[in-house]
Amino acid sequence: MNYQYLVCAYDITDSARRRRLRTLLLPWRVDGQLSVHELLIDHAHYNQLLKSIKPVLDYQNDSLLICHLSLQGLGAVYQPIAKQTEKLLFNSHISQSMPVKMRDGVFVLSYDIADIKRLNKVYKLVIRYMIQLQRSVYLYQGAGQRIQELIDQLIQVAVAGEDDVRLYLLPDAEALQFVAEPVPISVF
């Protein structure tokens, strides 16, 4: 079977629709954060999932984006700051150590920060380097050295065991798909 590795991130305004979307994603979820789901799904089920998702969304207010990651790049998920979890078996696809030299490319960063003061600090750091796509999801295209600088700063602010920061390396810019976006975003 031909599987795809995806990251699905959303900002859904209505709690009932948010729960419905989460329920639709759950069968293929391997890991993630509250509104960022890492999925491993075959092509046929992915097409069915998209058809199931579309009626759930309010296209005037909701945001849903999907990042297609390379299956060869299961190591393209970096988690330099991690919450304590018992799902170690499931996060074997995540590399917690950052490479010595980050390559240039297209990156999506997501975070889940437990403390409001740290959340504000993280936001202020990230927004200097990246374009905000959703509340805790950001995009960067360019030099890996700048991403490494950002991660080094985030490690100083975020707290391991309480906060979760993930960096996804996309194969290219076309790997980012906006399914719903209330305000059109031009990122490339």
Side-chain angles (χ1 to χ4, degrees):
M1 201 163 284
N2 192 8
Y3 285 93
Q4 301 177 60
Y5 188 59
L6 310 172
V7 175
C8 181
Y10 56 82
D11 276 342
I12 306 294
T13 54
D14 177 71
S15 59
R17 286 197 321 275
R18 195 170 38 249
R19 282 191 303 274
R20 177 73 178 120
L21 181 59
R22 195 174 298 131
T23 301
L24 289 171
L25 298 174
L26 199 57
W28 297 281
R29 181 183 162 103
V30 292
D31 203 359
Q33 298 165 332
L34 186 61
S35 63
V36 178
H37 300 266
E38 297 169 8
L39 310 175
L40 190 59
I41 187 170
D42 64 86
H43 188 69
H45 284 107
Y46 174 67
N47 289 333
Q48 289 175 353
L49 178 63
L50 279 181
K51 288 178 186 173
S52 300
I53 285 174
K54 289 184 179 184
V56 173
L57 299 172
D58 173 354
Y59 287 86
Q60 299 299 311
N61 298 302
D62 296 339
S63 172
L64 173 72
L65 68 94
I66 297 174
C67 304
H68 298 260
L69 302 180
S70 166
L71 269 180
Q72 295 89 4
L74 285 181
V77 181
Y78 303 106
Q79 190 177 20
I81 300 125
K83 282 186 178 179
Q84 290 180 338
T85 180
E86 295 180 14
K87 293 172 32 172
L88 293 178
L89 177 66
F90 296 110
N91 354 358
S92 59
H93 66 286
I94 294 175
S95 172
Q96 291 191 343
S97 61
M98 297 293 291
V100 174
K101 184 174 191 268
M102 183 64 75
R103 71 179 205 182
D104 297 353
V106 180
F107 298 89
V108 170
L109 181 133
S110 66
Y111 57 72
D112 186 6
I113 307 297
D115 177 76
I116 191 71
K117 288 182 181 178
R118 285 196 313 270
L119 175 64
N120 288 331
K121 287 180 184 179
V122 167
Y123 169 77
K124 288 175 184 175
L125 278 173
V126 173
I127 205 70
R128 290 187 348 213
Y129 291 83
M130 304 181 91
I131 298 168
Q132 187 171 19
L133 300 177
Q134 294 176 353
R135 272 180 270 198
S136 63
V137 180
Y138 300 82
L139 175 69
Y140 173 81
Q141 180 177 18
Q145 180 182 353
R146 297 247 323 140
I147 285 295
Q148 189 64 57
E149 290 171 12
L150 172 61
I151 295 299
D152 291 344
Q153 293 175 48
L154 289 174
I155 288 171
Q156 301 302 314
V157 174
V159 175
E162 294 181 27
D163 301 329
D164 188 350
V165 176
R166 293 173 190 235
L167 182 67
Y168 303 97
L169 174 60
L170 278 56
D172 53 41
E174 287 77 37
L176 185 63
Q177 173 187 3
F178 291 92
V179 178
E181 191 59 45
V183 179
I185 294 178
S186 176
V187 292
F188 298 108

